[in-house]
Amino acid sequence: MALQIEHDYPLLAHNTFGMDVRAACFVAYHSESELVAALRLLRAEGSPRLLNIGGGSNLLFCGDFPGAVLRSAIDSVEIQPRPAVHSRTVPEEETVCVRVGSGHNWDAFVARALEAGWYGAENLSGIPGDVGASAVQNIGAYGAEIKDLVVKVEAINAETCEKRIFTADECGYAYRDSIFKRPENKKYIITYVTYRLRTAFVPNLSYKALADRFADRPGSGLRPAFTASDIRREVVAMRGEKLPNPAVLGNAGSFFMNPVVPESVYAALAARYPGMPHYEAGPGRVKLSAAWLIDQAGWKGRSMGPAGVYEKQPLVLVNRGGATGGDILALASAIIADVSARFGVTLSMEVNQIM
Ligand code: EPU
């Protein structure tokens, strides 16, 4: 397919928040060599600002994008020889390494993995976005995080056009975080992610609300009375009960991160609010529930103009129709200020703002 640079390109179909904005240029690339060709062509056109996007499910455009939007259309799936870096927890013969193009839809990959008998991604069913973004964002849900599946990440340095391969350790994964979010690493455009999956199904029911849905099904550990597809079905159902469908109501999933605070901050709050939800987050640190804080502050279901707080999950901000990035940010700022005043906890945004 010939490489095509589009100009004055509409981004409405490329962001789940439903922002009707445009990019000065837009390029979809189908291979690493096409990406490099695009980067060289753009340099010849005067080196516009670059923005590499995936499914656009974690982006808030605050206006037209004056540079070039790059979109991966690399969507291959190949089984890889086992790498030299070994899994610490699973015997090698029970795993498979799969190299997936960054433009492959994440959830389509999860479905395909289950069909192939590759397990470990089923708890991450239904998450919007692409494989490349999964590795930037360290997507996580229902007791699983992508960092536990990633073996390596391949990227092209947009400044030098050179290829670099990052091991999972080099990616610096933490809760919704990786080195690819640092400004100095934005130059790395992810082309492939290699995941290690299991070839035997071991259920992960560490997330209580998910475990509750399997409470009446006997069997555990290596002999569960249910399949990975059952987990996928329940996860998709739980998501559907709480999270708005972006095709119906514009949103980008959780708008804020769950705040991680020192134990002393948690202890002081817990004394005032017994039963406040909290989760262990490493030595001396506690993760609080942003949804709970926002809910307690009375924001659930409220709106400011066309920007709203979703009725069933207040961590999600929604575009009720025709909202701009500025409308969403005004609502987010009001929530941050109010939560901070009431609880002394500062919420930070999970969604990438594109100014
Ligand atoms: N809660 C309320 N009021 C509500 C809803 C929730 O108080 O209206 C409290 C409840 O106590 C509940 C707690 O919030 O137990 C947690 O809610 P939930 O299980 O929905 O999880 P979350 O912490 O709000 C995180 C992720 C989601 C992920 C779920 C499930 C972040 C920022 N968000 O939400 O991820 O699906 O856990 O694992 O970590 C996303 O990143 O876009 C996303 C949707």
Side-chain angles (χ1 to χ4, degrees), residues 57-58 127-128 137 140-144 175-176 207 209 238-239 242-243 252-258 275 277 279 287-293 295-296 300 310-316 350:
S57 55
N58 204 39
I127 298 182
Q137 183 63 10
Y142 303 106
Y175 169 59
R176 293 291 193 279
Y207 199 85
M238 283 171 83
R239 292 184 67 90
K242 276 193 182 175
L243 300 169
S254 299
F255 192 88
F256 302 102
M257 288 196 263
N258 284 327
Y279 315 90
K287 192 190 274 181
L288 306 180
S289 162
W292 185 88
L293 295 166
D295 195 353
Q296 292 294 306
K300 190 165 161 170
Y310 191 54
E311 287 71 13
K312 296 181 198 158
Q313 168 47 294
L315 199 47
V316 178
E350 198 214 342

Side-chain angles (χ1 to χ4, degrees), residues 258-340:
N258 284 327
V260 177
V261 299
E263 217 160 58
S264 55
V265 171
Y266 161 68
L269 281 170
R272 271 166 63 199
Y273 306 98
M276 178 178 77
H278 64 284
Y279 315 90
E280 185 271 320
R285 315 278 296 164
V286 179
K287 192 190 274 181
L288 306 180
S289 162
W292 185 88
L293 295 166
I294 298 167
D295 195 353
Q296 292 294 306
W299 284 96
K300 190 165 161 170
R302 275 175 65 182
S303 294
M304 269 175 56
V309 182
Y310 191 54
E311 287 71 13
K312 296 181 198 158
Q313 168 47 294
L315 199 47
V316 178
L317 301 190
V318 295
N319 175 359
R320 299 205 192 276
T324 62
D327 293 328
I328 302 283
L329 285 182
L331 174 61
S333 305
I335 293 172
I336 292 172
D338 192 22
V339 165
S340 166

